[in-house]
Amino acid sequence: MAVVIGVDAGGTSSRAVVATLDGHVVGHARAGCGNPAAVSASHAYAQLKAAIDGALAGVDRGGVVAATIGLAGIEAVTAELEALFPVPPQVVGDVVVALAAGTPDPSGTVLIAGTGAIAAKIIDHTIVGTADGFGWQLGDEGSAFWLGRQAARSAVRARPGLLTELVLKHLGAHDHEQVAVIAQAAPPLALAELAPLVSQACEEGDPAAAEIVERGAALLARTFHEVHEPGTPAVLAGSVLTNDGPVRRAVRELLAPSAPVTAGPGEAAAAWLAARTVSPEAPHRAFLPS
Amino acid sequence: MAVVIGVDAGGTSSRAVVATLDGHVVGHARAGCGNPAAVSASHAYAQLKAAIDGALAGVDRGGVVAATIGLAGIEAVTAELEALFPVPPQVVGDVVVALAAGTPDPSGTVLIAGTGAIAAKIIDHTIVGTADGFGWQLGDEGSAFWLGRQAARSAVRARPGLLTELVLKHLGAHDHEQVAVIAQAAPPLALAELAPLVSQACEEGDPAAAEIVERGAALLARTFHEVHEPGTPAVLAGSVLTNDGPVRRAVRELLAPSAPVTAGPGEAAAAWLAARTVSPEAPHRAFLPS
């Protein structure tokens, strides 16, 4: 039986799926962060290996006819990583996988907000332009990191209210000044963990959280519009935009004229892209039922 | 001969001075970063030791009657550090030393902008309130780090002009996208090294740099006004505010009604504070001639 492998190597987790050419899943596994731009290459490799080996467990490796791996940031893949696959993998940007996770159309705009944030214009499965994606230090505006940093900024300035209370509690800080000390001592990206607190506080009516949500959504919409051409498909991806919450709702409202659709699992989209390389008519709806 | 030691442990360098009670300098030395909040404790200790030992070279240690050390951030000093001094040192915040570096008045407001940025209200050589000083991740608005990060943000967004050219050249980046990659890979505080490029580009008329200078100065003035009481002395300290340049000029203009004075060397101020502990009438103008 001919099967394909799809892998989505994200900042939070790595997910792999093995599916038949008509989209029937025969193996699935997930592991930790497999993005070599976010963690050490050896850690990323070990996580990707765990996900791929897990998905291939119980599958006849001789049947694997194609593999696609979606990687954020650095797309160079070493021979070591290629050796994990029974066939040479196709490596594409995570934004290409994200577009395919929302639409069978080979062209369109994808807006991703997970730990980072980026918008990409894609034509025929190829990136032709991006906006933001500059990393936590210089950009990623509206991302989970950005939202979390705003929450910490609000708390360290002792802005009264639920958000500050939630941040102090989450960090185990006794007072506002300790927030700065704890934030400085932690790895920079740890601030992304505070993002859900912004959503929680916003839902409960905290004005500081509502302001952060509004600004974050506006920044994400601006990033989207830097590359989007009206009339082309628009896909929302990444945890901030695929999980229900105030940021997702605000962004959907701002982008309503572009009728954005929500991305499904990236690994399924990667498997569909792999299937297309051997079977151009592989049905998108079978890999990504909506 | 009775002498005192003053030490200023800054984010960029550690400086120590040995002086007589009437302010005559008999030893002086400087070493690298001695701020245990910015580098490892062992590195900070080694730099402080180098500066202190250097200043004491050729001085009869038996004559040392007082020592004052000004430390940013964490003011806990281990027994190991105390053992470097012939007498138990008085440890004070770097903001207390900075005020004394500008005025003999025991009370007033100091605004520091170096690698970080903080304002402090001091009464009788004791900190009674601060503004900002939240570190590069959550604050330090208008600091060298902040200025440098704005420069990198401008460059990665390909804002045309001299500032972008200078940043690309400084980082050895071939194009704008590389700026994000290089910034992500470097230690976060390395962005502070780009601050002088903002001043340079601003002096040569670059609009992007002028905008960063104007915003940075406004943020520093806001931080100052959060704690300043009109009618009390105001002191400007830190490399951004003591070296000539557009940020210093803009801040001086904004704070003109408060008639701010510029801080002299912190180590001399620390030596004066040490001298005061044994000779309350130690002349400020002898330690810090203006």
Side-chain angles (χ1 to χ4, degrees):
Chain A
M1 184 179 64
V3 294
V4 295
I5 308 178
V7 179
D8 193 24
T12 306
S13 66
S14 305
R15 296 168 306 278
V17 66
V18 177
T20 61
L21 291 177
D22 56 4
H24 179 68
V25 173
V26 297
H28 193 232
R30 65 190 299 151
C33 175
N35 178 357
V39 294
S40 72
S42 62
H43 179 86
Y45 171 81
Q47 299 303 316
L48 286 167
K49 181 171 179 2
I52 294 162
D53 286 350
L56 282 169
V59 173
D60 171 20
R61 291 185 176 228
V64 178
V65 294
T68 294
I69 173 167
L71 273 183
I74 298 163
E75 286 160 38
V77 169
T78 61
E80 201 180 27
L81 180 53
E82 292 195 0
L84 294 177
F85 296 87
V87 292
Q90 171 194 37
V91 181
V92 298
D94 61 336
V95 292
V96 171
V97 167
L99 182 76
T103 174
D105 200 310
S107 305
T109 305
V110 62
L111 174 64
I112 306 184
T115 306
I118 190 171
K121 180 177 169 181
I122 292 160
I123 293 183
D124 201 15
H125 297 302
T126 302
I127 303 165
V128 296
T130 61
D132 202 349
F134 297 136
W136 61 268
Q137 180 77 287
L138 304 180
D140 285 1
E141 293 173 331
S143 66
F145 172 78
W146 186 95
L147 293 164
R149 178 154 65 181
Q150 297 307 318
R153 289 173 61 91
S154 191
V156 81
R157 284 165 180 78
R159 187 158 173 176
L162 179 61
L163 180 59
T164 290
E165 284 168 34
L166 291 173
V167 170
L168 289 176
K169 192 176 162 195
H170 181 94
L171 296 177
H174 296 298
D175 59 27
H176 308 105
E177 287 176 12
Q178 249 200 310
V179 172
V181 176
I182 293 170
Q184 276 316 58
L189 279 173
L191 288 178
E193 291 167 17
L194 303 176
L197 306 181
V198 177
S199 296
Q200 184 186 338
C202 181
E203 300 285 32
E204 297 187 29
D206 183 80
E211 207 178 278
I212 293 170
V213 165
E214 194 185 331
R215 280 180 56 212
L219 289 166
L220 287 170
R222 187 179 73 177
T223 298
F224 174 83
H225 285 122
E226 274 185 49
V227 292
H228 183 62
E229 274 181 35
T232 60
V235 174
L236 303 182
S239 58
V240 173
L241 296 177
T242 57
N243 293 321
D244 186 40
V247 181
R248 167 176 156 83
R249 290 198 298 274
V251 169
R252 284 185 66 85
E253 199 168 309
L254 290 169
L255 304 192
S258 303
V261 297
T262 303
E267 65 277 26
W272 175 65
L273 289 171
R276 281 182 74 254
T277 65
V278 290
S279 171
E281 299 306 315
H284 185 267
R285 69 184 174 283
F287 285 80
L288 288 142
S290 48
Chain B
M1 184 180 60
V3 294
V4 294
I5 309 178
V7 179
D8 192 24
T12 306
S13 66
S14 304
R15 296 168 305 277
V17 67
V18 177
T20 60
L21 291 177
D22 57 4
H24 179 68
V25 173
V26 297
H28 193 232
R30 63 189 301 152
C33 174
N35 179 358
V39 295
S40 72
S42 61
H43 179 86
Y45 171 80
Q47 299 304 316
L48 286 167
K49 182 171 176 8
I52 294 162
D53 286 350
L56 282 169
V59 173
D60 170 20
R61 291 186 177 225
V64 178
V65 293
T68 295
I69 172 167
L71 272 183
I74 298 164
E75 286 159 39
V77 168
T78 62
E80 201 180 28
L81 179 52
E82 291 195 0
L84 293 177
F85 296 85
V87 292
Q90 170 194 38
V91 181
V92 298
D94 62 336
V95 293
V96 171
V97 167
L99 181 76
T103 174
D105 201 309
S107 306
T109 304
V110 62
L111 174 64
I112 306 184
T115 306
I118 191 171
K121 180 177 168 181
I122 292 160
I123 294 183
D124 200 17
H125 296 302
T126 302
I127 303 166
V128 296
T130 61
D132 201 350
F134 297 136
W136 60 267
Q137 179 76 286
L138 304 180
D140 285 1
E141 293 173 331
S143 66
F145 172 78
W146 186 94
L147 293 164
R149 177 153 68 182
Q150 298 306 318
R153 288 172 61 91
S154 191
V156 80
R157 283 165 181 78
R159 187 159 173 175
L162 179 61
L163 180 60
T164 290
E165 284 168 34
L166 292 173
V167 170
L168 290 177
K169 192 177 165 197
H170 181 93
L171 296 177
H174 297 298
D175 58 28
H176 308 103
E177 288 176 12
Q178 248 198 311
V179 171
V181 175
I182 293 169
Q184 278 312 60
L189 279 173
L191 287 178
E193 292 168 15
L194 302 177
L197 307 181
V198 177
S199 296
Q200 184 186 340
C202 180
E203 300 285 33
E204 298 187 29
D206 183 80
E211 206 177 277
I212 293 170
V213 166
E214 194 184 334
R215 282 181 55 214
L219 289 166
L220 288 170
R222 187 179 73 177
T223 297
F224 173 83
H225 284 121
E226 275 184 49
V227 292
H228 182 63
E229 273 182 35
T232 61
V235 174
L236 304 182
S239 57
V240 172
L241 295 177
T242 57
N243 293 321
D244 185 40
V247 180
R248 169 177 154 83
R249 290 198 297 273
V251 169
R252 284 185 68 86
E253 199 168 311
L254 291 169
L255 303 192
S258 302
V261 298
T262 302
E267 66 276 26
W272 175 66
L273 290 172
R276 280 183 75 253
T277 65
V278 290
S279 172
E281 300 307 313
H284 185 267
R285 66 181 177 284
F287 286 79
L288 287 141
S290 48

